[in-house]
Amino acid sequence: MHPAFSVVFFTTATGAGYGLLALLGVLASLGFIPDDFWLGLVGLGLALGLIVVGLLSSTGHLGRPERAWRAFSQWRSSWLSREGVASMATFIPAGLFGIGWVILGRLDGWVAAVGLLAAIGAIVTVCMTGMIYASLKPIAQWHSPYTLPGYLIFSAMSGSVLLNAVLQGFVPGSKTLLAFSVLLVLLGWIWKLATWRYNDRLEIATTANTATGLAGGTVRTLEWPHTEENYLLKEMGFRIARKHSAKLRRITQALAFALPILLLVAAFALPWPFGAALSVLAAIVQFVGMLVERWLFFAEAKHTVTLYYGR
């Protein structure tokens, strides 16, 4: 039993992609980014590419991927369905934004308007993704005030580091976004530490005794409830040793936060093209670090259903 890599990659890739798309839509529409053909092609191509690959990878987690379209029908009650609807709807303004920028060479008028709509769609989609996990009351580590803001912060952080890497390649000497990226990475690091601190201090009141209503002793399972694994046990029954968790947390801090900050600060001080190369390296290292962070996000979660198995 282990967290499915398809879901880990999905949340990492789409988070970075939507963050990049949102920043492109806002900054380009407000005139902070030049209407350069290659900048638009590479920036939007990278954003939409990450989103598409991430969404496709999520279907690998389904038992019957060909039935994925049915998830869209439950938008009235399911955050997962709302996420799917929002992600598909975002492609419309994003596509028009790409046509206006890359093909028509414009970032004004209706192109600026659809760019802002694409940014709004990206932010809404990330919120829907965050709510899939924040709404799950049986998992105390997810049903917390840190989950949804964390998704938004990490998306903006990853997107800004990616945009800085792209921008450094086409606009030499651009420092404003570089400095902004450092601040966002610092914010993400602080938020992650606060999240871990909150989760480590969680006191889950539910036990086998409270679930059965029995008192005066300790309720224990005499034998395994069934002969094979079920879905919830496979998805939410992962157990990770404290020493391994601590090691992976250190790796997350090093790759997702500390090293990118050092590389970005060095890029700020060095001339082009060395600064641009370090910016690209910071984006790659951070993406790997966020894969580890997302894996921990799923591995450290504990579903109350595990009480049924004596855990």
Side-chain angles (χ1 to χ4, degrees):
M1 297 180 294
H2 56 83
F5 181 75
S6 59
V7 178
V8 172
F9 183 81
F10 156 69
T11 54
T12 304
T14 54
Y18 281 121
L20 177 56
L21 177 61
L23 287 171
L24 282 171
V26 172
L27 297 180
S29 299
L30 295 179
F32 289 99
I33 296 178
D35 55 352
D36 181 81
F37 169 80
W38 289 108
L39 176 58
L41 182 64
V42 174
L44 286 173
L46 180 60
L48 295 177
L50 284 170
I51 293 169
V52 171
V53 172
L55 291 173
L56 289 177
S57 72
S58 68
T59 62
H61 186 60
L62 302 176
R64 299 293 295 272
E66 70 276 9
R67 297 179 180 176
W69 63 272
R70 295 185 178 180
F72 293 93
S73 64
Q74 307 300 315
W75 58 270
R76 293 181 182 85
S77 58
S78 168
W79 287 108
L80 177 63
S81 183
R82 292 165 187 164
E83 176 203 38
V85 172
S87 65
M88 292 298 102
T90 302
F91 279 112
I92 298 175
L96 293 173
F97 184 46
I99 292 173
W101 186 351
V102 177
I103 297 179
L104 302 180
R106 296 179 52 187
L107 284 177
D108 58 351
W110 67 268
V111 180
V114 294
L116 291 175
L117 286 177
I120 293 172
I123 295 170
V124 170
T125 304
V126 173
C127 286
M128 299 297 106
T129 305
M131 283 304 300
I132 293 174
Y133 305 101
S135 64
L136 297 178
K137 294 182 179 180
I139 306 176
Q141 290 83 0
W142 294 352
H143 189 66
S144 80
Y146 288 90
T147 300
L148 178 57
Y151 265 85
L152 291 169
I153 291 171
F154 295 146
S155 180
M157 177 191 74
S158 302
S160 68
V161 173
L162 282 173
L163 179 54
N164 172 69
V166 174
L167 200 61
Q168 291 297 322
F170 297 98
V171 187
S174 176
K175 302 294 185 182
T176 303
L177 184 62
L178 201 160
F180 181 66
S181 298
V182 172
L183 293 177
L184 278 179
V185 177
L186 278 172
L187 175 61
W189 195 354
I190 293 170
W191 194 264
K192 188 73 257 185
L193 290 174
T195 303
W196 283 334
R197 182 181 177 86
Y198 175 86
N199 288 343
D200 291 342
R201 292 186 172 187
L202 274 176
E203 294 184 4
I204 303 175
T206 305
T207 64
N209 287 64
T210 61
T212 56
L214 299 175
T218 301
V219 176
R220 292 180 302 211
T221 302
L222 293 177
E223 60 182 16
W224 196 252
H226 42 73
T227 58
E228 295 183 4
E229 295 179 354
N230 62 12
Y231 176 79
L232 278 176
L233 187 61
K234 185 181 295 184
E235 295 296 314
M236 304 296 179
F238 185 76
R239 288 180 291 182
I240 179 172
R242 186 179 296 274
K243 64 177 181 179
H244 296 314
S245 178
K247 180 180 179 180
L248 289 172
R249 286 185 180 188
R250 290 193 295 269
I251 293 174
T252 296
Q253 292 186 71
L255 296 181
F257 307 110
L259 192 52
I261 288 176
L262 292 176
L263 290 170
L264 291 174
V265 170
F268 194 91
L270 293 175
W272 194 90
F274 302 106
L278 290 180
S279 294
V280 173
L281 182 59
I284 295 173
V285 168
Q286 185 177 75
F287 189 86
V288 175
M290 289 307 296
L291 285 174
V292 180
E293 187 278 331
R294 287 293 89 183
W295 191 92
L296 268 178
F297 175 78
F298 291 101
E300 292 184 323
K302 294 180 177 62
H303 198 294
T304 52
V305 74
T306 56
L307 291 173
Y308 185 54
Y309 304 91
R311 298 182 184 175

